[in-house]
Amino acid sequence: MSHPNPHIDKVSILGEESICLGFHIFDYLVRDTLSNFKASTYVIVTDTHLEKLYLNRFKESFHKISKELAGTAALPRLLAYVIPPGENSKSREIKGHIEDYFLEQGCTRDTLVFAMGGGVIGDLVGFVAATFMRGIPFVQVPTTLLAMVDSSIGGKTAVDTPQAKNSIGAFWQPKRIFIDLSVLETLPEREFVNGMAEVIKTAAIWDESDFILLENGAEAIRDAVLKPVRNVEFQGATLETRTPAQQLLLKVVMASAAVKAYVVTHDERETGMRGLLNFGHSLGHAIEGLVTPKLLHGECVAIGMIKEAEIARYCGYLSQVAVGRLTRCIQAYGLPVTMEDKLVKSHIGNQYCSVDEIMRVLRVDKKNIGSQKRIVMLSAIGKTLEMKPTNIADDIIRKVLAASTVVHPRPVNAPPVTMSPPGSKSISNRVLVLAALGRGTCRLKGLLHSDDTQVMLTALTKLGAATFEWEDNGDTLVVHGNGGKMHVPDSELYLGNAGTAARFVTTVSVLVPPSSTPGQKTILTGNARMKQRPIAPLVDALTANGSEIKYVESAGCLPLEVTPFSQGLTGGEIQLAASISSQYVSSILLCAPYATKEPVTLVLTGGQVISQLYIDMTIAMMKSFGVTVEVLPNNTYRIPQGAYTNPAEYLVEADASSATYPLAIAAITGTTCTVPNIGSASLQGDAGFAVNVLRPMGCTVVQTETSTTVTGPPVGTLRPLAHIDMETMTDAFLTASVLAAVTQPATPGGENVTKISGIANQRVKECNRIAAMMHELGKFGVTTSEFDDGIIIHGHDIASLTPPKEGVKCYDDHRVAMSFSVLANVVPGGTIIREKKCVEKTWPTWWDDLEGKLSGRASDIDLGPPSEHHDYEVKTSSSSGKKGSTSGTKTDGTTSEGRGRANRAQVVPKPTFFLSLTFPDVSPALPHLSKLTLGADVIELRVDLLKTPENSGISFRDHVAQQVALLRRHSELPILYTVRSVSQGGQWPDNNIEGMVSLLKDGLEWGVEYLDIEIGLPRNQIDNLLARRGKSLIVASWHDCRGDVAWSSEAMEQQYKLAHSISPDVIKLIGTAKSMKDNFECSDFATRHTSKADDLPLIAMNMGAQGQLSRVLNNYLTPVTHSLLPVKAAPGQLSARDILTARHIAGLLPTKQFYLFGTPISQSLSPLMHNTSFQSLGLPYHYSLHETATVDESVVAKMRAPDFGGASVTIPHKLDIMSKLDEITEEAKAIGAVNTVVPVTDDQGQTTLVGDNTDWLGIRYQIERHLGSTTTVHPHKMKGLVIGAGGTSRAALYALHRLGVREISIFNRTMVKAQAVADSFKDLFGVQVLSANDLLKSGGGGDFDIVVSTIPGTIDSSSMFDESIFGASKRKGVAVELAYTPRFTRFLKLASQAEWATVEGGQVLVEQGGWQAEKWVGRRWDLESVQAQVDLVQAGRQ
């Protein structure tokens, strides 16, 4: 195809249309230049990288076109000069080289130079053109996006000096700027994204409509460059071949270039307006000066834009809405917004840019006027405060840059304030859908501007549901609703991890009519986490109503494909399972008025409805938009057909939890604060904070339906609360705690203690909030204590409190930060609040508002680089091992859950063993297999020793297959499959090679984990086997049965090399000892061949009685025997217990100490269990009790001792111990408690204390052991119930989830506690909360397959449940009791009467203890033997 005539767009600058944009315009730029700028010599300057891509192509085009244009005239000369790429070339030295080359080539003023490259080339060559022969014409051909929209436009040219960037240069305008967008496709992604910072910058300062294009078009713009369409050659050169994504890319680039061109035209020499183009550059350049070249220019400018926008917000010029929009737009293109961004850390590591360093660089910024820092201030998206940079004081800049703040006491007699906290997310999402579907215009005030609401806005825009615009500097969102009229979007709806948006938009998409273009469908998708979150109940309900919705990937989750239906939502009765999420209910309710055939009657099924308050919220909001829902009995709702009528204005209710902070400041400082949009009519529980907490503490509270006003008593006279249950407003307990710290008794000498209960769930929030409050209040001198359900705070005189020198650690928790900022308003001196940006989760402008609206006082402080993350952070790490390592993992990657998992809480045993089975038939050994394999890591099946049972009628091959199957069924250990020949010490005939190879092939076919291949086999046979190896690990073996070869000989080295040559995973060399010396030589041989990291694992030993020491010294897969075996597989074999005992005597296995931490623990069965296990394994370990009231220094000392082997943790330390550990596993994090501490030592000898949880493993595997006797139903189809809402209930729920149970319920007498537990898992899986009526109604439990009781065995449970929970049908299940005193509880008796399989608490205790032991020592214990010991003790106690 010949090169088409490209479509060119032009932008005027300085009165000339000299900026030309298009795709594939090389021929055009040459023709245009040669036609309009005559010269005798043309020079192209580029770099070595671009030379390979474009130089030859440019030369060919130049010579072809110059001949066409010259006719009979002389052809112009073309020279090329190539320089090294990179910033280092932008120097006076390289400039001199170029000028010398021009002179050597005889260039005169009749010369034009092309600058082809990025900013370095453009700036450098432009400066050459400005000074050579006092100025020659030049043309910019930018090849990076950054150069296209920034450095190539405006005529700024310069070189760098050691002192500063761009410090020597000139203004010299290019004759043309040719922007060929097709060249962007050759850029690395990071370089393209780097340039997008400048595009976003110009839109942010100039034109909101351009910014909206960038907001909504991020995916298309990125795809135009990073995933280009190439349906035809020269795609995009003409309008006919240009894709929508290419057109959008050109549009935003041209808009950016046009802004710069306009500014340059009106302020060429940067005396005023041109300074606007430095938005983000003042602070961006300062950061760049510290981190270059690790970060790119655009990356630094992106961070600078956010910081400068935050300065504008602090000064009151810019709204948080605008800052949020700018932040999300920058992030959408993959640019960083903070120095803590992962991308930044990946390039600069731990480098810390202090405030002082940034200010030092900023002082020498050439944009300054004297000492005044000139920074561009946004006043809105697309608008600046002035048409030039604004002078900003240093203290404001420092305050915004600092990671910490100092809050000073609030001035006395501060005036009354009215404060509106940020809006509620739940209300914000609902009102966006209502207003978009409604008729007319609605102005939304108080809307929360977050990631969730942004994706909702984007989705509704793409659907054509409404148009949106911002007013009042972003404080008001104007929604022009289209009355339910929508269209199929042009691209997929990306919803991130916004669960509310995903569920609401699913039903909204059903309302979309078919497109005029056949086959168009609506695709809803999200991030990886969103693709795991459930949506099946909603999809099931909608498809049953006639909608066509398909799962694109995994069933039950996004992505979804919605096929437009001419009748949309048909209406009629819709049944919906509402036991997982109330958002499903709200989704259908919101869209139900637009049913096309008949009104919707929504019937909720599946028992207890989740989060009824949110359904009530939806119904109330629908009424505000003109639709009244009829609430009928039995969870049924009737919704009339019609359309929403948009109110002129809708005020989004503030977030009630956030409202507690300004109200508490009024309370603690004796002033008055009004929150105008939180009152008694609020559906949020925290709205009761003022009435139920502040009023009893002595405040005057006036609460109407829509507002709350609090006036505090005189400073220092707040009264303590003897007891307050904050179960309905748990997040507000932190606010109450800081107030309780400064109370005084109502009467002299009275008790000054506040007790807060009902907040157990706060231990598993962003941090352990109870522990955090205790620790941080303690720094001020406040006395606190905790109990299972809450915290106790002793009041103090304000004057006695001292702010901590190191500041308040916020644990990256927004509520900790804001609560202590309340206390800091009265504490003498100044209180340092660290990690101040954590408040951005719910109130990004908190620190600005504290000063600007609440009359607070704050100053900046830079504490230097953060030492570590907060005490309760869960760290993650990966583990690795040598090829062929064993930890019970099967080579196909499938393991029994917990065993062999990539979990740091697991010690790799040393040495490792394999048990050599010598039975002719393993069947009789199966009942004893757990005892036989005690201490073993692998089972060796000696095929050569097997014998087919007489008169069985089966072939030997089938008998072997049966043996493999039996071992797989009765053990989780990997199988080492061996056919040992007579000459190698076995019984397989040496002359039957074909039969041996055939059996070995069978072993590979059956997927054995290890396969032994004798290296004496013919090489072609070995190669044949290796070609079939799959995932099986190959053990290359050789046995010197006669003792002819010494370990120190060359012959043994040759055997090693021969074994190594077949590329095995493990090498096994066996000698025969004739003296003790042979054992030491064997050990030396092993040491030489395993010293390097890439050496293969080696089994090196001697046979015979004198060779037993070599078995003790061998570290990898030592073959062992057992007293229950009929014979030893080889002479001199020892048991695993014998070897471990000998290693201890030899000093190779030191003694270790294990502990149980907690109180009271004197009756614990753990020492019995673990010491029994250690003794049976032959380990020199001891387990003892360490009883303490708190996790004190004695506990830490035990854990950090050199001989520490591990610990169990029980109440009340399961949460507090987290702060003393180095890492926490994901399982323990999910459950919110640690019951196992595992010290993991790396190759350098460094020990990491890892916290894990095995409670769930004990529950899960006991259920598995008993399920087979009751049902064949897969766990995915089962229903599980957990009774109780204490700490162990979380482990039980998690166990059911990991088992695969999808319908999980919880019951507790106090439903709020059950709801709190259920809510804590909402991001992992759904839990339905049952009421007493649900549980006790006739047959109510008949559907349960698994019931776990977590309530104490000694309490009367008759009022909680009866036999109905086990059902009356023939369907039988498993009942698990977690209490083990008494042994047979009422729960177990009822289950037994119903003929259910029962699991005693003692069985779960032993099971989880076995998992603890495996994590500590890498070996399993004999479950049956330990269980017998425990049962014996329990029987004695009974």
Side-chain angles (χ1 to χ4, degrees):
M1 177 181 175
S2 60
H3 198 297
N5 186 27
H7 178 85
I8 303 295
D9 288 282
K10 296 183 178 181
V11 174
S12 177
I13 181 171
L14 296 169
E16 297 285 340
E17 286 190 331
S18 54
I19 303 176
C20 304
L21 303 93
F23 291 85
H24 305 287
I25 65 172
F26 262 36
D27 282 3
Y28 173 85
L29 76 85
V30 172
R31 187 178 300 276
D32 182 78
T33 304
L34 292 177
S35 299
N36 293 294
F37 307 104
K38 303 293 184 181
S40 62
T41 301
Y42 295 86
V43 185
I44 179 170
V45 180
T46 189
D47 64 37
T48 53
H49 175 67
L50 294 169
E51 174 189 20
K52 301 170 187 175
L53 293 173
Y54 302 121
L55 187 55
N56 286 337
R57 181 173 152 196
F58 183 90
K59 287 180 178 178
E60 290 173 5
S61 181
F62 183 91
H63 292 312
K64 180 185 71 172
I65 294 171
S66 63
K67 287 179 182 178
E68 293 176 11
L69 297 177
T72 59
L75 291 175
R77 181 172 58 150
L78 176 66
L79 302 175
Y81 191 83
V82 180
I83 66 172
E87 191 74 25
N88 290 337
S89 290
K90 190 177 163 182
S91 65
R92 285 178 286 189
E93 180 184 10
I94 298 296
K95 178 176 182 284
H97 293 335
I98 297 172
E99 291 165 339
D100 290 345
Y101 174 78
F102 283 12
L103 293 171
E104 290 168 2
Q105 296 298 321
C107 295
T108 65
R109 295 192 68 186
D110 186 24
T111 300
L112 182 144
V113 60
F114 292 94
M116 180 185 287
V120 169
I121 293 286
D123 286 2
L124 171 65
V125 175
F127 192 25
V128 170
T131 57
F132 186 76
M133 299 289 176
R134 297 183 179 175
I136 60 174
F138 86 109
V139 167
Q140 288 271 23
V141 187
T143 58
T144 67
L145 181 56
L146 187 62
M148 290 176 181
V149 298
D150 185 28
S151 61
S152 69
I153 303 172
K156 282 187 182 180
T157 70
V159 294
D160 299 336
T161 66
Q163 287 71 36
K165 286 171 60 74
N166 299 323
S167 51
I168 301 176
F171 284 96
W172 190 249
Q173 295 297 337
K175 295 298 182 181
R176 286 282 192 272
I177 302 165
F178 293 106
I179 298 176
D180 187 342
L181 294 168
S182 64
V183 305
L184 296 180
E185 296 174 15
T186 65
L187 286 181
E189 179 179 353
R190 190 181 176 202
E191 286 289 348
F192 165 65
V193 169
N194 180 48
M196 283 307 301
E198 293 291 337
V199 179
I200 295 169
K201 175 202 74 176
T202 52
I205 64 171
W206 203 258
D207 192 328
E208 186 179 16
S209 63
D210 291 338
F211 189 85
I212 290 172
L213 287 176
L214 291 166
E215 277 183 311
N216 297 335
E219 183 179 3
I221 291 168
R222 285 174 58 88
D223 285 352
V225 174
L226 304 176
K227 300 177 183 178
V229 174
R230 295 193 179 95
N231 294 329
V232 297
E233 194 176 4
F234 307 116
Q235 184 95 44
T238 64
L239 292 178
E240 292 75 20
T241 63
R242 191 168 296 171
T243 66
Q246 285 179 316
Q247 187 61 36
L248 180 59
L249 173 67
L250 185 139
K251 188 172 183 178
V252 297
V253 171
M254 186 165 69
S256 182
V259 171
K260 183 157 189 181
Y262 179 90
V263 172
V264 169
T265 299
H266 291 80
D267 183 19
E268 183 181 2
R269 296 305 175 104
E270 200 168 346
T271 58
M273 182 190 292
R274 191 164 180 176
L276 292 180
L277 298 175
N278 289 318
F279 173 55
H281 285 61
S282 295
L283 291 177
H285 276 165
I287 294 168
E288 189 177 6
L290 298 173
V291 299
T292 189
K294 300 174 188 175
L295 288 187
L296 302 179
H297 171 76
E299 292 163 349
C300 296
V301 168
I303 298 171
M305 282 193 282
I306 296 302
K307 287 301 178 187
E308 292 179 18
E310 289 175 350
I311 291 173
R313 184 187 67 194
Y314 175 84
C315 294
Y317 306 141
L318 188 66
S319 71
Q320 169 56 27
V321 170
V323 178
R325 291 176 68 191
L326 181 62
T327 299
R328 278 180 286 281
C329 186
I330 290 172
Q331 290 174 323
Y333 290 90
L335 287 160
V337 293
T338 71
M339 293 299 289
E340 289 71 45
D341 192 286
K342 287 182 180 179
L343 181 142
V344 174
K345 291 300 183 184
S346 70
H347 291 294
I348 72 170
N350 293 323
Q351 181 180 348
Y352 179 73
C353 299
S354 70
V355 175
D356 285 341
E357 287 176 319
I358 294 174
M359 294 302 293
R360 174 178 53 77
V361 179
L362 196 58
R363 276 198 296 271
V364 296
D365 193 308
K366 59 181 179 291
K367 296 181 287 293
N368 296 343
I369 297 180
S371 61
Q372 289 286 341
K373 311 300 185 298
R374 300 171 70 235
I375 298 177
V376 177
M377 291 287 98
L378 289 185
S379 59
I381 295 296
K383 186 179 179 182
T384 56
L385 181 69
E386 303 178 84
M387 291 301 287
K388 61 180 181 179
T390 300
N391 294 340
I392 301 295
D394 282 8
D395 63 328
I396 294 176
I397 301 172
R398 297 184 67 95
K399 191 169 290 187
V400 170
L401 289 175
S404 304
T405 189
V406 183
V407 180
H408 302 277
R410 193 176 188 225
V412 295
N413 300 322
V417 297
T418 297
M419 168 62 71
S420 293
S424 160
K425 183 181 77 170
S426 299
I427 296 175
S428 292
N429 274 308
R430 284 164 173 77
V431 77
L432 285 172
V433 174
L434 288 165
L437 294 179
R439 295 195 188 110
T441 297
C442 181
R443 283 172 165 78
L444 303 181
K445 295 182 178 293
L447 189 78
L448 175 67
H449 205 81
S450 67
D451 289 338
D452 283 21
T453 51
Q454 182 60 46
V455 297
M456 178 68 87
L457 283 166
T458 302
L460 293 173
T461 300
K462 285 187 173 185
L463 288 165
T467 56
F468 303 96
E469 57 182 308
W470 298 95
E471 288 183 350
D472 306 328
N473 287 336
D475 289 335
T476 301
L477 177 65
V478 183
V479 183
H480 303 287
N482 286 340
K485 296 178 181 178
M486 292 177 282
H487 58 73
V488 179
D490 294 330
S491 60
E492 66 183 17
L493 303 180
Y494 180 77
L495 302 167
N497 193 23
T500 308
R503 286 149 185 169
F504 287 5
V505 173
T506 296
T507 310
V508 171
S509 298
V510 168
L511 305 181
V512 178
S515 168
S516 57
T517 304
Q520 275 199 312
K521 299 176 182 179
T522 302
I523 304 294
L524 289 79
T525 188
N527 65 8
R529 176 66 186 126
M530 192 68 243
K531 291 180 180 181
Q532 298 171 350
R533 298 176 67 176
I535 200 167
L538 178 60
V539 172
D540 291 345
L542 293 173
T543 52
N545 193 246
S547 301
E548 186 177 339
I549 305 175
K550 293 182 180 179
Y551 298 113
V552 177
E553 294 177 11
S554 302
C557 307
L558 265 63
L560 301 177
E561 178 187 271
V562 182
T563 300
F565 180 43
S566 60
Q567 297 182 12
L569 186 69
T570 59
E573 181 174 302
I574 298 177
Q575 294 195 357
L576 173 66
S579 58
I580 295 178
S581 173
S582 65
Q583 291 173 357
Y584 304 150
V585 184
S586 293
S587 180
I588 292 180
L589 284 173
L590 289 167
C591 297
Y594 294 86
T596 57
K597 283 190 173 183
E598 56 182 314
V600 171
T601 299
L602 181 59
V603 181
L604 307 185
T605 63
Q608 176 69 29
V609 176
I610 293 292
S611 304
Q612 181 67 46
L613 285 177
Y614 287 97
I615 298 174
D616 296 341
M617 175 192 292
T618 302
I619 293 171
M621 292 179 67
M622 291 170 67
K623 188 172 183 179
S624 299
F625 282 75
V627 174
T628 301
V629 177
E630 185 179 358
V631 181
L632 303 174
N634 301 319
N635 291 327
T636 302
Y637 303 89
R638 184 174 295 129
I639 305 97
Q641 289 171 290
Y644 295 120
T645 301
N646 283 343
E649 182 176 296
Y650 189 95
L651 180 64
V652 175
E653 185 178 290
D655 184 82
S657 298
S658 296
T660 64
Y661 308 119
L663 295 176
I665 287 177
I668 204 170
T669 60
T671 56
T672 300
C673 177
T674 297
V675 174
N677 48 0
I678 286 287
S680 59
S682 171
L683 294 176
Q684 302 176 71
D686 291 35
F689 179 78
V691 171
N692 298 318
V693 177
L694 299 183
R695 183 178 286 164
M697 296 186 86
C699 298
T700 301
V701 176
V702 178
Q703 188 170 66
T704 68
E705 288 190 352
T706 59
S707 70
T708 302
T709 299
V710 170
T711 301
V715 176
T717 63
L718 286 171
R719 295 196 296 270
L721 301 174
H723 175 231
I724 180 168
D725 187 344
M726 298 188 71
E727 196 169 44
T728 60
M729 47 178 157
T730 54
D731 281 353
F733 102 87
L734 301 91
T735 320
S737 296
V738 297
L739 298 179
V742 294
T743 57
Q744 289 298 309
T747 58
E751 192 171 56
N752 191 15
V753 177
T754 295
K755 181 178 181 181
I756 301 173
S757 64
I759 58 168
N761 71 320
Q762 293 292 301
R763 290 191 173 98
V764 290
K765 291 288 188 175
E766 281 81 348
C767 68
N768 179 341
R769 284 177 171 169
I770 296 177
M773 294 304 290
M774 292 175 61
H775 189 262
E776 301 308 315
L777 284 171
K779 292 179 180 179
F780 289 82
V782 177
T783 302
T784 61
S785 59
E786 69 175 312
F787 55 100
D788 61 341
D789 201 26
I791 187 172
I792 297 170
I793 306 106
H794 295 256
H796 293 69
D797 289 327
I798 291 174
S800 70
L801 300 184
T802 304
K805 291 181 180 179
E806 71 277 22
V808 173
K809 187 178 180 67
C810 296
Y811 308 95
D812 203 25
D813 190 322
H814 53 125
R815 304 220 176 274
V816 173
M818 288 188 278
S819 295
F820 277 98
S821 71
V822 171
L823 180 62
N825 274 272
V826 295
V827 173
T831 301
I832 298 171
I833 309 290
R834 298 160 62 181
E835 313 146 68
K836 70 176 187 181
K837 287 186 73 66
C838 64
V839 302
E840 293 186 357
K841 182 170 184 178
T842 48
W843 199 330
T845 62
W846 172 249
W847 304 114
D848 302 349
D849 292 341
L850 180 64
E851 287 191 86
K853 298 179 180 178
L854 291 170
S855 303
R857 295 193 302 130
S859 57
D860 67 276
I861 186 169
D862 187 353
L863 298 175
S867 54
E868 284 187 357
H869 292 294
H870 63 68
D871 300 349
Y872 309 101
E873 182 190 26
V874 177
K875 302 177 184 177
T876 59
S877 61
S878 59
S879 58
S880 60
K882 273 187 176 183
K883 184 179 182 182
S885 64
T886 64
S887 59
T889 306
K890 299 182 186 298
T891 57
D892 62 357
T894 59
T895 71
S896 179
E897 193 158 11
R899 293 187 172 99
R901 289 167 54 83
N903 182 327
R904 282 275 284 159
Q906 177 72 54
V907 170
V908 178
K910 184 180 179 181
T912 53
F913 304 115
F914 69 80
L915 175 73
S916 299
L917 293 180
T918 56
F919 295 101
D921 183 346
V922 301
S923 301
L926 297 177
H928 313 289
L929 200 57
S930 62
K931 288 183 172 59
L932 281 165
T933 58
L934 187 65
D937 303 280
V938 175
I939 299 176
E940 182 185 37
L941 179 64
R942 283 288 300 270
V943 177
D944 57 297
L945 300 180
L946 295 177
K947 288 182 170 48
T948 306
E950 293 183 8
N951 303 318
S952 65
I954 65 172
S955 67
F956 183 70
R957 180 183 184 277
D958 289 343
H959 177 59
V960 177
Q962 185 183 61
Q963 303 297 292
V964 173
L966 287 171
L967 288 177
R968 289 209 187 284
R969 192 178 310 151
H970 290 84
S971 176
E972 295 170 349
L973 291 178
I975 296 173
L976 169 57
Y977 184 94
T978 302
V979 187
R980 183 70 63 230
S981 64
V982 171
S983 61
Q984 289 290 291
Q987 294 189 13
W988 191 263
D990 288 334
N991 59 0
N992 190 2
I993 293 176
E994 184 178 345
M996 173 187 281
V997 172
S998 177
L999 285 169
L1000 291 173
K1001 288 179 180 177
D1002 289 335
L1004 293 173
E1005 182 180 330
W1006 297 328
V1008 296
E1009 287 75 29
Y1010 293 86
L1011 187 87
D1012 185 293
I1013 297 179
E1014 295 179 357
I1015 61 175
L1017 285 172
R1019 185 57 189 255
N1020 66 320
Q1021 297 283 18
I1022 292 177
D1023 291 341
N1024 192 1
L1025 289 168
L1026 293 176
R1028 303 165 181 255
R1029 70 197 298 174
K1031 294 183 179 180
S1032 296
L1033 300 179
I1034 302 301
V1035 179
S1037 67
W1038 180 77
H1039 296 65
D1040 175 22
C1041 297
R1042 296 185 302 180
D1044 294 337
V1045 180
W1047 287 98
S1048 57
S1049 68
E1050 179 60 28
M1052 188 64 82
E1053 288 291 343
Q1054 291 302 317
Q1055 292 299 328
Y1056 179 87
K1057 292 177 181 177
L1058 177 60
H1060 200 283
S1061 71
I1062 72 170
S1063 300
D1065 301 283
V1066 182
I1067 294 176
K1068 179 185 181 187
L1069 299 179
I1070 306 297
T1072 299
K1074 297 179 179 178
S1075 67
M1076 191 61 65
K1077 177 184 176 185
D1078 293 329
N1079 296 317
F1080 294 119
E1081 289 185 353
C1082 174
S1083 179
D1084 291 343
F1085 181 94
T1087 300
R1088 289 198 309 273
H1089 291 86
T1090 57
S1091 60
K1092 298 191 294 293
D1094 58 349
D1095 283 333
L1096 291 175
L1098 174 65
I1099 304 169
M1101 299 179 313
N1102 288 315
M1103 291 185 286
Q1106 293 194 65
Q1108 289 182 326
L1109 178 59
S1110 69
R1111 297 178 184 273
V1112 174
L1113 298 176
N1114 184 62
N1115 287 322
Y1116 185 81
L1117 284 184
T1118 305
V1120 294
T1121 187
H1122 194 281
S1123 60
L1124 294 178
L1125 289 173
V1127 294
K1128 295 180 179 180
Q1133 261 191 0
L1134 301 169
S1135 69
R1137 192 177 190 282
D1138 292 338
I1139 291 175
L1140 292 174
T1141 301
R1143 286 177 73 91
H1144 175 57
I1145 294 171
L1148 299 175
L1149 183 62
T1151 300
K1152 288 187 178 180
Q1153 300 297 326
F1154 297 78
Y1155 303 96
L1156 171 62
F1157 299 139
T1159 186
I1161 55 176
S1162 60
Q1163 297 299 306
S1164 173
L1165 296 169
S1166 293
L1168 169 70
M1169 294 192 304
H1170 289 292
N1171 287 326
T1172 298
S1173 167
F1174 293 153
Q1175 185 177 8
S1176 64
L1177 287 167
L1179 293 170
Y1181 300 160
H1182 182 69
Y1183 186 104
S1184 58
L1185 304 177
H1186 185 73
E1187 186 163 353
T1188 59
T1190 62
V1191 183
D1192 57 19
E1193 290 305 315
S1194 68
V1195 173
V1196 176
K1198 297 285 188 190
M1199 293 193 296
R1200 297 295 179 183
D1203 63 349
F1204 177 64
S1208 311
V1209 186
T1210 189
I1211 295 173
H1213 300 340
K1214 289 188 175 185
L1215 297 170
D1216 293 346
I1217 201 159
M1218 290 183 177
S1219 64
K1220 310 298 183 184
L1221 304 177
D1222 302 315
E1223 296 183 10
I1224 309 294
T1225 65
E1226 291 300 321
E1227 291 83 356
K1229 179 183 179 182
I1231 296 169
V1234 164
N1235 83 324
T1236 306
V1237 180
V1238 185
V1240 179
T1241 304
D1242 62 20
D1243 294 339
Q1244 286 73 45
Q1246 296 296 315
T1247 298
T1248 300
L1249 294 179
V1250 183
D1252 200 0
N1253 189 295
T1254 60
D1255 286 331
W1256 75 275
L1257 291 166
I1259 299 166
R1260 183 236 163 107
Y1261 284 98
Q1262 276 298 315
I1263 293 173
E1264 272 198 350
R1265 294 179 198 282
H1266 289 79
L1267 272 179
S1269 64
T1270 64
T1271 181
T1272 58
V1273 178
H1274 192 278
H1276 286 175
K1277 298 181 180 179
M1278 293 183 179
K1279 295 182 180 180
L1281 170 67
V1282 173
I1283 301 174
T1288 51
S1289 68
R1290 297 175 55 81
L1293 290 169
Y1294 189 75
L1296 292 176
H1297 166 64
R1298 292 294 290 269
L1299 183 64
V1301 179
R1302 290 179 176 174
E1303 294 190 40
I1304 304 173
S1305 302
I1306 185 172
F1307 167 74
N1308 190 56
R1309 280 185 292 199
T1310 307
M1311 284 191 67
V1312 175
K1313 291 184 179 180
Q1315 187 66 59
V1317 173
D1319 288 346
S1320 66
F1321 288 110
K1322 62 185 178 183
D1323 290 335
L1324 286 176
F1325 56 93
V1327 180
Q1328 178 184 359
V1329 179
L1330 300 181
S1331 67
N1333 288 335
D1334 293 325
L1335 195 66
L1336 294 174
K1337 65 185 179 181
S1338 178
D1343 286 341
F1344 295 125
D1345 300 278
I1346 305 167
V1347 181
V1348 184
S1349 173
T1350 69
I1351 60 176
T1354 53
I1355 72 168
D1356 181 9
S1357 61
S1358 59
S1359 63
M1360 296 183 67
F1361 59 82
D1362 58 22
E1363 65 276 4
S1364 68
I1365 64 171
F1366 302 111
S1369 66
K1370 295 181 180 180
R1371 190 173 180 178
K1372 306 303 179 186
V1374 177
V1376 183
E1377 174 64 85
L1378 297 190
Y1380 54 90
T1381 303
R1383 182 174 177 182
F1384 302 108
T1385 62
R1386 173 177 174 271
F1387 172 81
L1388 288 178
K1389 292 175 182 176
L1390 290 176
S1392 181
Q1393 291 167 9
E1395 300 181 1
W1396 276 41
T1398 57
V1399 179
E1400 300 172 20
Q1403 291 175 283
V1404 176
L1405 177 70
V1406 171
E1407 181 80 42
Q1408 71 83 26
W1411 286 99
Q1412 284 184 324
E1414 183 170 340
K1415 289 175 179 294
W1416 290 333
V1417 303
R1419 305 189 189 284
R1420 303 168 208 189
W1421 64 16
D1422 180 4
L1423 197 68
E1424 294 177 6
S1425 299
V1426 176
Q1427 187 71 62
Q1429 293 288 328
V1430 169
D1431 290 347
L1432 189 63
V1433 171
Q1434 281 193 295
R1437 290 180 179 178
Q1438 294 277 42

